[in-house]
Coordinates of all heavy atoms in Angstrom, one line a residue:
L1 N 0.8 -1.2 0.0 CA 0.0 0.0 0.0 C 0.9 1.3 0.0 O 1.9 1.3 0.7 CB -0.9 0.0 1.2 CG -2.0 -1.1 1.3 CD1 -2.7 -1.0 2.6 CD2 -3.0 -0.9 0.2
D2 N 0.5 2.2 -0.8 CA 1.1 3.5 -0.8 C 0.8 4.3 0.5 O -0.3 4.6 0.7 CB 0.7 4.3 -2.0 CG 1.4 5.7 -2.1 OD1 2.0 6.1 -1.2 OD2 1.3 6.3 -3.2
P3 N 1.8 4.5 1.4 CA 1.6 5.1 2.7 C 1.0 6.6 2.6 O 0.3 7.0 3.5 CB 2.9 5.1 3.4 CG 3.9 5.0 2.3 CD 3.2 4.2 1.2
E4 N 1.3 7.2 1.4 CA 0.7 8.6 1.3 C -0.8 8.5 1.0 O -1.5 9.4 1.4 CB 1.4 9.3 0.1 CG 2.9 9.6 0.4 CD 3.5 10.4 -0.7 OE1 2.8 10.9 -1.6 OE2 4.7 10.7 -0.6
L5 N -1.2 7.4 0.3 CA -2.7 7.3 0.1 C -3.4 6.6 1.2 O -4.5 6.9 1.6 CB -2.9 6.5 -1.2 CG -2.5 7.2 -2.5 CD1 -2.7 6.2 -3.7 CD2 -3.4 8.4 -2.7
W6 N -2.7 5.6 1.8 CA -3.3 4.8 2.8 C -2.7 5.1 4.2 O -2.0 4.3 4.8 CB -3.1 3.3 2.4 CG -3.8 3.0 1.1 CD1 -3.3 2.9 -0.1 CD2 -5.2 2.7 1.0 NE1 -4.2 2.7 -1.0 CE2 -5.4 2.5 -0.4 CE3 -6.3 2.6 1.8 CZ2 -6.7 2.3 -0.9 CZ3 -7.5 2.4 1.3 CH2 -7.7 2.2 0.0
S7 N -3.1 6.3 4.7 CA -2.8 6.7 6.0 C -3.5 5.9 7.1 O -4.4 5.1 6.8 CB -3.1 8.2 6.2 OG -4.5 8.4 6.1
N8 N -3.2 6.1 8.3 CA -3.9 5.5 9.4 C -5.4 5.7 9.4 O -6.2 4.9 9.6 CB -3.3 5.9 10.8 CG -2.0 5.2 11.1 OD1 -1.6 4.3 10.4 ND2 -1.4 5.6 12.2
E9 N -5.7 7.0 9.0 CA -7.2 7.4 9.0 C -7.9 6.6 7.9 O -9.0 6.2 8.0 CB -7.3 8.9 8.8 CG -6.9 9.7 10.0 CD -5.4 9.9 10.1 OE1 -4.7 9.5 9.2 OE2 -5.0 10.4 11.2
A10 N -7.2 6.5 6.7 CA -7.8 5.7 5.6 C -8.0 4.3 5.9 O -9.0 3.7 5.6 CB -6.9 5.9 4.3
M11 N -7.0 3.7 6.6 CA -7.1 2.3 6.9 C -8.1 2.1 8.0 O -8.8 1.0 8.1 CB -5.7 1.7 7.4 CG -4.6 1.7 6.3 SD -5.2 0.8 4.8 CE -5.2 -0.9 5.5
A12 N -8.2 3.0 8.9 CA -9.3 3.0 9.9 C -10.7 3.0 9.3 O -11.6 2.2 9.7 CB -9.2 4.2 10.9
L13 N -10.8 3.7 8.2 CA -12.1 3.8 7.5 C -12.4 2.4 6.9 O -13.5 1.9 6.9 CB -12.0 4.8 6.4 CG -13.3 5.0 5.5 CD1 -14.5 5.5 6.4 CD2 -13.0 6.0 4.4
V14 N -11.4 1.7 6.4 CA -11.5 0.4 5.8 C -12.0 -0.6 6.9 O -12.9 -1.4 6.7 CB -10.2 -0.1 5.1 CG1 -10.4 -1.5 4.6 CG2 -9.9 0.8 3.9
W15 N -11.3 -0.6 8.0 CA -11.6 -1.5 9.1 C -13.1 -1.2 9.6 O -13.8 -2.2 9.8 CB -10.7 -1.3 10.3 CG -9.4 -2.0 10.1 CD1 -8.1 -1.5 10.0 CD2 -9.2 -3.5 10.2 NE1 -7.2 -2.5 9.9 CE2 -7.8 -3.7 10.0 CE3 -10.1 -4.6 10.3 CZ2 -7.3 -5.0 10.0 CZ3 -9.5 -5.8 10.3 CH2 -8.2 -6.1 10.1
N16 N -13.4 0.1 9.7 CA -14.8 0.4 10.1 C -15.8 -0.1 9.2 O -16.8 -0.7 9.6 CB -14.9 1.9 10.3 CG -16.3 2.3 10.7 OD1 -16.8 1.8 11.7 ND2 -16.9 3.3 10.0
N17 N -15.6 0.1 7.9 CA -16.7 -0.3 6.9 C -16.7 -1.8 6.8 O -17.8 -2.4 6.5 CB -16.4 0.4 5.6 CG -16.9 1.8 5.6 OD1 -18.1 2.1 5.4 ND2 -15.9 2.7 5.8
K18 N -15.6 -2.5 7.0 CA -15.7 -4.0 7.0 C -16.5 -4.4 8.2 O -17.3 -5.4 8.1 CB -14.2 -4.6 7.0 CG -14.2 -6.1 7.0 CD -12.8 -6.7 7.0 CE -12.9 -8.2 7.1 NZ -11.5 -8.8 7.1
G19 N -16.3 -3.8 9.3 CA -17.0 -4.1 10.5 C -18.5 -3.9 10.3 O -19.3 -4.7 10.8
I20 N -18.9 -2.8 9.7 CA -20.3 -2.6 9.4 C -20.9 -3.7 8.6 O -22.0 -4.2 8.8 CB -20.5 -1.2 8.7 CG1 -20.1 -0.1 9.7 CG2 -21.9 -1.0 8.2 CD1 -20.1 1.3 9.0
A21 N -20.2 -4.1 7.5 CA -20.7 -5.1 6.6 C -20.8 -6.4 7.4 O -21.8 -7.2 7.2 CB -19.7 -5.3 5.4
L22 N -19.8 -6.7 8.2 CA -19.9 -8.0 9.0 C -21.1 -7.9 10.0 O -21.8 -8.9 10.2 CB -18.6 -8.2 9.9 CG -17.4 -8.6 9.1 CD1 -16.1 -8.4 9.9 CD2 -17.5 -10.1 8.7
S23 N -21.4 -6.8 10.5 CA -22.6 -6.6 11.5 C -23.9 -6.9 10.7 O -24.8 -7.4 11.3 CB -22.6 -5.3 12.2 OG -22.9 -4.2 11.3
F24 N -23.9 -6.5 9.4 CA -25.1 -6.7 8.6 C -25.4 -8.2 8.4 O -26.5 -8.6 8.3 CB -25.0 -6.0 7.3 CG -25.5 -4.6 7.3 CD1 -24.6 -3.6 7.0 CD2 -26.8 -4.3 7.5 CE1 -25.0 -2.3 7.0 CE2 -27.2 -3.0 7.5 CZ -26.3 -1.9 7.2
L25 N -24.3 -9.0 8.5 CA -24.4 -10.4 8.3 C -24.6 -11.1 9.6 O -24.6 -12.4 9.7 CB -23.2 -11.0 7.6 CG -23.0 -10.5 6.1 CD1 -21.6 -11.0 5.6 CD2 -24.1 -10.9 5.2

């Protein structure tokens, strides 16, 4: 991953949205 594009905040967003999808299931 390009660290300039994928900052901690961006990765946190990915984890959060994966969590939301898992909760729907």
